[in-house]
């Protein structure tokens, strides 16, 4: 079986944790131990988020005054290097007999994507109003209020095409465990002259994972995070975990933007376009999710929902 | 023909230039235009230096006080991401019909390498004596005097094995232009338990290029820099460019450490182990060097030296 596993940025560096290397290394070692069980029996492609890591690099370069800050696409490529290295090293330790490789990944976006007119992704640190005004004037940033602070916002355009697809496919076909598409891929666009240029945007990593999974004909898309299932009425007293659902039934519900909504949408897209299963769940239950014993399993419309789980504290949609 | 081309760090960011993205991007675009002529007719693997880039990341993280600075191996992986991205983007623009991919590269070193007892590579910014003493105490760094300042020094162990070799070979065999082994590769070592750990060292990128070229059975190793040939008695009035030489004749001469010596040694190793040609010369003459019309050409002992160049202001050794 060929599995694409997407690791949430929070699985690698959790909210409130210090952005230290030792913290990140410990989290990645734990994440990879969870994934190693999959990689030993199946072909595996690993993608990952990079939000906290891009934030760290942005803060560091703001603190250093002797070079003009690098653009977001370059910072993204740096985090692909950093995280890819740490994941690859941990995977080589966990499964010494497997070949593992990290491919830098650029993803084409459409400059006419309506997302560019409505930036939604908050990135980087919080600023005062004075700082925010200066950054808008000096750098042409868009800045939005976020609680008491101001933060940069950028667009989140749809991933159109993974530019290194042929290389990824080749490695996967030859049983290499591939780490790629980190942070959703570095967004690039071709200008009318045919020149490729980085774009200051953030592609949703789960959407890129769904595209990647479709393009390499994966049998399963795993969207792994720090909660064990998608919930209906999350946070309310009548909250219920969803065992199993179809794109049709999931799309009738509302999920909070910024948390589960993109994962649900990514899972639906993969299932609709391939007929194969997607699942959303906790990284440390990756093995159980693979066997249909945990997580929220999304299967194609038309399949009669049945409980995958042995217990019954969740529901089928 | 399969060519490994190693780009000097100075070809990407020259001494005295600001460490700005726009400067780096312009240099890389120019470098890639020189290489594109090779890639259109031949299989090409590109490696590159990363000295100035690691320096920049080190300065930025020193300026930012809210996270413990990351180790040199992690910074190296970040620069592989950054430079690989910029080179790949430029190559895709220059040769839209070619597949191009960047592979993160880890290189095994031997913890018992004698180089660890005699660190030689100066890295990062200059410090005052007070700062230097603090860094020695806090981080266990080795620091050496460099002119009026103090700089960190690290070991430069020999590259033993490129860990992603199978993946690189596979991509090359399928006509993908591969960017890899940036900065000589991230140095790693396996501890007795089998765990891989990054090593705070710098592998000479030309030595790694020679190892890579040997392992993928390259027909030609190009070590490209900002001077047009290796010179005898460099800087003196009797300085003479070397047209052509063999490892035997080159090894009789002395070349300044830190500049040409590692390139000469890397070229000799490749030629000795494969019998194929290596050449050292200027990046913007890559095409002429390929045809034997420029640069210092190193051929195997036993071949009767003949002038490759049409003019005669250089010598054969």
């Amino acid at each position: 079986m060929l599995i694409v596993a997407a690791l949430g940025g929070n699985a690698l560096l959790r909210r409130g944790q210090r952005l230290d290397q030792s913290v990140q290394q410990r989290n990645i070692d734990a994440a990879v131990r969870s994934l190693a069980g999959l990689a030993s029996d199946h072909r595996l492609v690993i993608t990952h988020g990079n939000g906290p890591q891009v934030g760290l690099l942005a803060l560091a370069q703001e603190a250093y005054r002797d070079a003009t800050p690098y653009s977001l696409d370059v910072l993204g490529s740096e985090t692909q290097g950093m995280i890819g290295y740490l994941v690859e090293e941990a995977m080589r330790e966990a499964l010494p007999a497997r070949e593992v490789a990290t491919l830098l990944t650029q993803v084409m976006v459409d400059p006419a994507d309506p997302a560019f007119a409505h930036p939604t992704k908050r990135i980087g640190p919080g600023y005062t109003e004075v700082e925010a005004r200066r950054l808008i004037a000096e750098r042409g940033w868009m800045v939005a209020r976020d609680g008491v602070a101001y933060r940069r916002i950028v667009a989140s355009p749809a991933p159109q095409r993974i530019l290194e697809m042929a290389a990824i496919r080749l490695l996967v076909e030859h049983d290499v465990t591939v780490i790629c598409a980190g942070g959703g891929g570095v967004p690039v666009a071709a200008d009318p002259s045919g020149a490729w240029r980085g774009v200051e945007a953030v592609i949703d990593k789960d959407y890129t994972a769904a595209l990647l999974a479709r393009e390499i004909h994966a049998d399963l898309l795993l969207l792994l995070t720090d909660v064990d299932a998608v919930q209906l009425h999350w946070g309310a007293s009548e909250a219920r975990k969803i065992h199993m659902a179809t794109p049709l039934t999931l799309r009738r519900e509302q999920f909070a933007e910024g948390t589960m909504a993109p994962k649900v949408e990514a899972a639906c897209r993969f299932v609709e376009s391939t007929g194969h299963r997607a699942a959303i769940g906790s990284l440390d239950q990756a093995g159980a999710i693979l066997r249909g014993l945990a997580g929220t399993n999304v299967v194609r419309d038309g399949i009669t929902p049945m409980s995958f789980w042995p217990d019954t504290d969740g529901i089928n949609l």
Side-chain angles (χ1 to χ4, degrees), chain A residues 85-317:
Chain A
Y85 163 57
L86 296 173
V87 172
E88 180 176 327
E89 195 172 56
M91 187 56 82
R92 187 169 289 116
E93 180 176 335
L95 294 175
R98 297 287 288 203
E99 294 287 341
V100 51
T102 307
L103 263 183
L104 285 189
T105 310
Q106 298 172 27
V107 174
M108 190 177 85
V109 299
D110 180 358
D113 192 310
F116 287 106
H118 304 284
T120 54
K121 284 265 185 191
R122 287 166 165 75
I123 58 166
Y127 301 103
T128 64
E129 188 177 336
V130 172
E131 288 171 328
R133 288 190 187 284
R134 182 180 56 79
L135 290 165
I136 292 167
E138 282 180 9
R139 308 226 189 128
W141 285 5
M142 295 193 69
V143 172
R145 193 152 194 161
D146 192 17
V148 296
Y150 291 80
R151 291 176 70 203
R152 183 178 183 193
I153 52 169
V154 296
S156 186
Q160 301 278 332
R161 189 159 66 85
I162 295 168
L163 297 188
E164 297 81 0
M165 203 60 235
I168 295 169
R169 204 174 275 133
L170 192 63
L171 293 173
V172 169
E173 282 167 1
H174 288 80
D175 287 328
V176 179
T177 299
V178 175
I179 301 153
C180 65
V186 178
V188 295
D191 71 17
S193 74
W196 289 94
R197 287 292 168 255
V199 175
E200 297 228 43
V202 171
I203 305 173
D204 185 281
K205 71 157 207 320
D206 294 314
Y207 291 171
T208 299
L211 174 63
L212 172 68
R214 189 190 78 191
E215 291 291 312
I216 57 171
H217 307 293
D219 302 290
L220 174 63
L221 171 61
L222 290 181
L223 303 168
L224 300 170
T225 179
D226 51 0
V227 299
D228 59 3
V230 181
Q231 302 208 8
L232 275 189
H233 318 298
W234 185 80
S237 60
E238 70 272 33
R240 296 295 301 275
K241 291 177 190 169
I242 302 171
H243 286 173
M244 195 164 127
T246 71
L248 203 66
T249 57
L250 274 174
R251 286 218 160 106
R252 290 193 201 118
E253 309 296 335
Q254 289 282 337
F255 301 96
E257 274 301 331
T259 57
M260 277 297 169
K263 288 191 203 312
V264 168
E265 176 61 26
C268 289
R269 286 184 194 176
F270 175 70
V271 174
E272 285 167 338
S273 63
T274 67
H276 293 303
R277 176 167 63 114
I280 301 165
S282 172
L283 177 56
D284 52 24
Q285 295 186 290
I289 297 170
L290 173 68
R291 295 190 298 280
L293 302 176
T296 293
N297 293 274
V298 185
V299 296
R300 70 182 164 87
D301 296 313
I303 289 190
T304 308
M306 46 155 286
S307 180
F308 272 47
W309 291 3
D311 61 42
T312 54
D313 77 330
I315 57 171
N316 294 335
L317 270 191

